[in-house]
Amino acid sequence: MSEMSSFKLSGIAVPSNAADMLNEICEHFVEHAEVERIGDLALLRSNFGLAHIRIDAGRLSIDLQCPTAEALQMSRTNLAEHLFYFAKDQPFELTWSEPTCLPAVPNLHEVTVVSAEDVTPYMRRIIFSCADVTPFIDDDMHVRLLVPPKGKTPVWPGFREDGRIAWPEGEDELLVRVYTIRAVDVDRGELWIDFLQHPAPNVATPGADFARNAQPGDVAALLGPGGGSLPSADSILFIGDESALPAIARIVTEVPPRTRMQAIIEVRNKAEEQPLPTRGILDVRWLHRDANGEHAVRSLLVEAKKAIATLEDGAFVWAACEKDDIRAIRTCLKARQHDRKKMYVAWYWERL
């Protein structure tokens, strides 16, 4: 991204601890952007543009440079949402030099349910029609699914003064969850999203409930895409559980011919295994939690460490699973001095 981008914006963030927040920014965004840390300055380069974030007198001084007004707003929103998330319940303020000039969220796509089917006993696929599927064809795979209340005309979000998304409230409140675009059918103008049906009792599963009850004609929206680029490498190691399986399946399907791949995937049992067609060369090891009993939560991590220890030079590591396991995988890769540009290591859920 050229640093001579036409659209610019500055902001000031006031966290309770500027150094801690800058560390959090760098740790998180390393999976979604090219991050360069120089003392009290962080540079984030992404598809949106360039962000300079510097500690200045206990505050964070932010400068954004993007190629379009739409990219500038998405960069502002993406950063604002994350900063408030990092702040948690601590005092936090965020102001910008200019308000948004856009009348609506630019990357919101209204979609309609076409059909639903069970891929496995605990994985359900919804196929959506979309007027323009081209933004979902390459690179970023992740979207936020927005589901309006059943039977109500959707009210889609706008923007807040602090850059965050202004979500409808009350009777218009939306269900919002992050998912992976499993596949894109350009000819039919359709998108596939796979929803894990959680077996745990007494656990709220609104996203899974939507998929289970979805009917043809139901309207929803997708916000994005953003994050989860397709890796480019001759050799790829995949590490993941059911939460990562849609993304692994998407990548495996789209890699160039002769790409060598090894996958370690933990699922509930054999019935949850899925065919993974590919033009590349794929070796899959399925781990079954039902067979591992009390050792289930460690089996994936143990096998991942073994695979990392024997990685060939230049291999790309793609890992997504539980938060603590991801931290352990990152530590293992760091100890091995694995190339930071040759990995995607992200937590998709947190063990309570």
Side-chain angles (χ1 to χ4, degrees), residues 89-108:
D89 57 354
Q90 297 297 312
F92 182 72
E93 296 178 11
L94 179 60
T95 57
W96 299 96
S97 57
E98 298 177 14
T100 179
C101 61
L102 301 180
V105 178
N107 58 338
L108 188 145

mmCIF file of all heavy atoms in Angstrom, residues 89-108:
data_model
loop_
_atom_site.group_PDB
_atom_site.id
_atom_site.type_symbol
_atom_site.label_atom_id
_atom_site.label_comp_id
_atom_site.label_asym_id
_atom_site.label_seq_id
_atom_site.Cartn_x
_atom_site.Cartn_y
_atom_site.Cartn_z
ATOM 1 N N ASP A 89 -13.507 -3.076 30.312
ATOM 2 C CA ASP A 89 -14.295 -2.214 31.191
ATOM 3 C C ASP A 89 -13.481 -1.046 31.746
ATOM 4 O O ASP A 89 -13.931 -0.347 32.651
ATOM 5 C CB ASP A 89 -14.886 -3.033 32.345
ATOM 6 C CG ASP A 89 -13.806 -3.751 33.159
ATOM 7 O OD1 ASP A 89 -12.630 -3.710 32.760
ATOM 8 O OD2 ASP A 89 -14.157 -4.357 34.191
ATOM 9 N N GLN A 90 -12.279 -0.815 31.190
ATOM 10 C CA GLN A 90 -11.455 0.307 31.626
ATOM 11 C C GLN A 90 -11.896 1.602 30.924
ATOM 12 O O GLN A 90 -12.435 1.559 29.821
ATOM 13 C CB GLN A 90 -9.977 0.038 31.314
ATOM 14 C CG GLN A 90 -9.403 -1.166 32.045
ATOM 15 C CD GLN A 90 -9.410 -0.971 33.547
ATOM 16 O OE1 GLN A 90 -8.991 0.068 34.043
ATOM 17 N NE2 GLN A 90 -9.900 -1.978 34.267
ATOM 18 N N PRO A 91 -11.669 2.770 31.544
ATOM 19 C CA PRO A 91 -12.020 4.035 30.885
ATOM 20 C C PRO A 91 -11.294 4.174 29.542
ATOM 21 O O PRO A 91 -10.111 3.853 29.436
ATOM 22 C CB PRO A 91 -11.529 5.095 31.888
ATOM 23 C CG PRO A 91 -11.472 4.387 33.200
ATOM 24 C CD PRO A 91 -11.106 2.966 32.893
ATOM 25 N N PHE A 92 -12.030 4.628 28.534
ATOM 26 C CA PHE A 92 -11.433 4.757 27.203
ATOM 27 C C PHE A 92 -12.191 5.802 26.394
ATOM 28 O O PHE A 92 -13.422 5.834 26.411
ATOM 29 C CB PHE A 92 -11.465 3.409 26.469
ATOM 30 C CG PHE A 92 -10.829 3.459 25.106
ATOM 31 C CD1 PHE A 92 -9.455 3.562 24.975
ATOM 32 C CD2 PHE A 92 -11.605 3.427 23.955
ATOM 33 C CE1 PHE A 92 -8.856 3.615 23.718
ATOM 34 C CE2 PHE A 92 -11.029 3.480 22.700
ATOM 35 C CZ PHE A 92 -9.636 3.569 22.580
ATOM 36 N N GLU A 93 -11.437 6.656 25.692
ATOM 37 C CA GLU A 93 -12.027 7.667 24.816
ATOM 38 C C GLU A 93 -11.351 7.596 23.449
ATOM 39 O O GLU A 93 -10.147 7.328 23.355
ATOM 40 C CB GLU A 93 -11.841 9.075 25.393
ATOM 41 C CG GLU A 93 -12.543 9.311 26.717
ATOM 42 C CD GLU A 93 -12.288 10.705 27.266
ATOM 43 O OE1 GLU A 93 -11.738 11.532 26.499
ATOM 44 O OE2 GLU A 93 -12.614 10.957 28.426
ATOM 45 N N LEU A 94 -12.135 7.851 22.403
ATOM 46 C CA LEU A 94 -11.603 7.852 21.042
ATOM 47 C C LEU A 94 -12.295 8.944 20.241
ATOM 48 O O LEU A 94 -13.525 8.965 20.147
ATOM 49 C CB LEU A 94 -11.829 6.491 20.376
ATOM 50 C CG LEU A 94 -11.355 6.343 18.931
ATOM 51 C CD1 LEU A 94 -9.851 6.571 18.816
ATOM 52 C CD2 LEU A 94 -11.727 4.962 18.392
ATOM 53 N N THR A 95 -11.501 9.868 19.705
ATOM 54 C CA THR A 95 -12.049 10.952 18.882
ATOM 55 C C THR A 95 -11.300 11.012 17.560
ATOM 56 O O THR A 95 -10.131 10.609 17.470
ATOM 57 C CB THR A 95 -11.928 12.307 19.601
ATOM 58 O OG1 THR A 95 -10.545 12.554 19.927
ATOM 59 C CG2 THR A 95 -12.762 12.332 20.873
ATOM 60 N N TRP A 96 -11.988 11.549 16.545
ATOM 61 C CA TRP A 96 -11.412 11.634 15.199
ATOM 62 C C TRP A 96 -11.448 13.071 14.702
ATOM 63 O O TRP A 96 -12.304 13.862 15.123
ATOM 64 C CB TRP A 96 -12.173 10.725 14.239
ATOM 65 C CG TRP A 96 -12.116 9.286 14.615
ATOM 66 C CD1 TRP A 96 -13.040 8.584 15.316
ATOM 67 C CD2 TRP A 96 -11.052 8.371 14.339
ATOM 68 N NE1 TRP A 96 -12.631 7.275 15.493
ATOM 69 C CE2 TRP A 96 -11.410 7.111 14.895
ATOM 70 C CE3 TRP A 96 -9.831 8.470 13.662
ATOM 71 C CZ2 TRP A 96 -10.600 5.987 14.803
ATOM 72 C CZ3 TRP A 96 -9.021 7.341 13.570
ATOM 73 C CH2 TRP A 96 -9.398 6.121 14.134
ATOM 74 N N SER A 97 -10.554 13.390 13.792
ATOM 75 C CA SER A 97 -10.460 14.755 13.272
ATOM 76 C C SER A 97 -11.650 15.127 12.406
ATOM 77 O O SER A 97 -11.993 16.308 12.283
ATOM 78 C CB SER A 97 -9.165 14.917 12.456
ATOM 79 O OG SER A 97 -9.107 13.958 11.397
ATOM 80 N N GLU A 98 -12.306 14.120 11.795
ATOM 81 C CA GLU A 98 -13.452 14.386 10.926
ATOM 82 C C GLU A 98 -14.498 13.284 11.105
ATOM 83 O O GLU A 98 -14.141 12.126 11.337
ATOM 84 C CB GLU A 98 -13.021 14.421 9.450
ATOM 85 C CG GLU A 98 -12.011 15.507 9.110
ATOM 86 C CD GLU A 98 -11.575 15.424 7.658
ATOM 87 O OE1 GLU A 98 -12.244 14.706 6.885
ATOM 88 O OE2 GLU A 98 -10.562 16.055 7.312
ATOM 89 N N PRO A 99 -15.778 13.621 10.978
ATOM 90 C CA PRO A 99 -16.822 12.582 11.010
ATOM 91 C C PRO A 99 -16.840 11.818 9.698
ATOM 92 O O PRO A 99 -16.243 12.238 8.699
ATOM 93 C CB PRO A 99 -18.108 13.392 11.204
ATOM 94 C CG PRO A 99 -17.804 14.704 10.543
ATOM 95 C CD PRO A 99 -16.341 14.969 10.818
ATOM 96 N N THR A 100 -17.517 10.679 9.679
ATOM 97 C CA THR A 100 -17.624 9.930 8.435
ATOM 98 C C THR A 100 -18.454 10.700 7.406
ATOM 99 O O THR A 100 -19.402 11.416 7.766
ATOM 100 C CB THR A 100 -18.266 8.547 8.670
ATOM 101 O OG1 THR A 100 -18.356 7.861 7.413
ATOM 102 C CG2 THR A 100 -19.656 8.677 9.259
ATOM 103 N N CYS A 101 -18.077 10.532 6.153
ATOM 104 C CA CYS A 101 -18.825 11.189 5.079
ATOM 105 C C CYS A 101 -19.702 10.193 4.328
ATOM 106 O O CYS A 101 -20.311 10.539 3.311
ATOM 107 C CB CYS A 101 -17.853 11.866 4.108
ATOM 108 S SG CYS A 101 -16.706 10.725 3.292
ATOM 109 N N LEU A 102 -19.750 8.954 4.808
ATOM 110 C CA LEU A 102 -20.509 7.925 4.103
ATOM 111 C C LEU A 102 -21.906 7.786 4.690
ATOM 112 O O LEU A 102 -22.078 7.760 5.908
ATOM 113 C CB LEU A 102 -19.786 6.581 4.196
ATOM 114 C CG LEU A 102 -18.360 6.535 3.623
ATOM 115 C CD1 LEU A 102 -17.778 5.150 3.794
ATOM 116 C CD2 LEU A 102 -18.357 6.932 2.154
ATOM 117 N N PRO A 103 -22.934 7.673 3.852
ATOM 118 C CA PRO A 103 -24.310 7.555 4.349
ATOM 119 C C PRO A 103 -24.656 6.168 4.876
ATOM 120 O O PRO A 103 -25.636 6.009 5.603
ATOM 121 C CB PRO A 103 -25.151 7.880 3.102
ATOM 122 C CG PRO A 103 -24.280 7.463 1.956
ATOM 123 C CD PRO A 103 -22.872 7.749 2.384
ATOM 124 N N ALA A 104 -23.875 5.154 4.494
ATOM 125 C CA ALA A 104 -24.187 3.782 4.905
ATOM 126 C C ALA A 104 -22.899 2.989 5.013
ATOM 127 O O ALA A 104 -21.859 3.379 4.483
ATOM 128 C CB ALA A 104 -25.127 3.138 3.895
ATOM 129 N N VAL A 105 -22.961 1.859 5.700
ATOM 130 C CA VAL A 105 -21.798 0.977 5.818
ATOM 131 C C VAL A 105 -21.474 0.421 4.426
ATOM 132 O O VAL A 105 -22.323 -0.228 3.804
ATOM 133 C CB VAL A 105 -22.097 -0.168 6.800
ATOM 134 C CG1 VAL A 105 -20.918 -1.122 6.891
ATOM 135 C CG2 VAL A 105 -22.436 0.388 8.181
ATOM 136 N N PRO A 106 -20.264 0.666 3.910
ATOM 137 C CA PRO A 106 -19.978 0.349 2.505
ATOM 138 C C PRO A 106 -19.829 -1.129 2.195
ATOM 139 O O PRO A 106 -20.039 -1.546 1.064
ATOM 140 C CB PRO A 106 -18.659 1.089 2.245
ATOM 141 C CG PRO A 106 -18.019 1.202 3.585
ATOM 142 C CD PRO A 106 -19.138 1.358 4.566
ATOM 143 N N ASN A 107 -19.450 -1.939 3.175
ATOM 144 C CA ASN A 107 -19.204 -3.365 2.892
ATOM 145 C C ASN A 107 -20.299 -4.261 3.462
ATOM 146 O O ASN A 107 -20.041 -5.382 3.874
ATOM 147 C CB ASN A 107 -17.833 -3.784 3.417
ATOM 148 C CG ASN A 107 -17.679 -3.551 4.914
ATOM 149 O OD1 ASN A 107 -18.389 -2.733 5.493
ATOM 150 N ND2 ASN A 107 -16.765 -4.258 5.541
ATOM 151 N N LEU A 108 -21.540 -3.753 3.474
ATOM 152 C CA LEU A 108 -22.676 -4.541 3.916
ATOM 153 C C LEU A 108 -23.419 -5.090 2.705
ATOM 154 O O LEU A 108 -23.763 -4.341 1.789
ATOM 155 C CB LEU A 108 -23.615 -3.704 4.789
ATOM 156 C CG LEU A 108 -24.752 -4.476 5.475
ATOM 157 C CD1 LEU A 108 -25.028 -3.885 6.853
ATOM 158 C CD2 LEU A 108 -26.035 -4.427 4.637
#
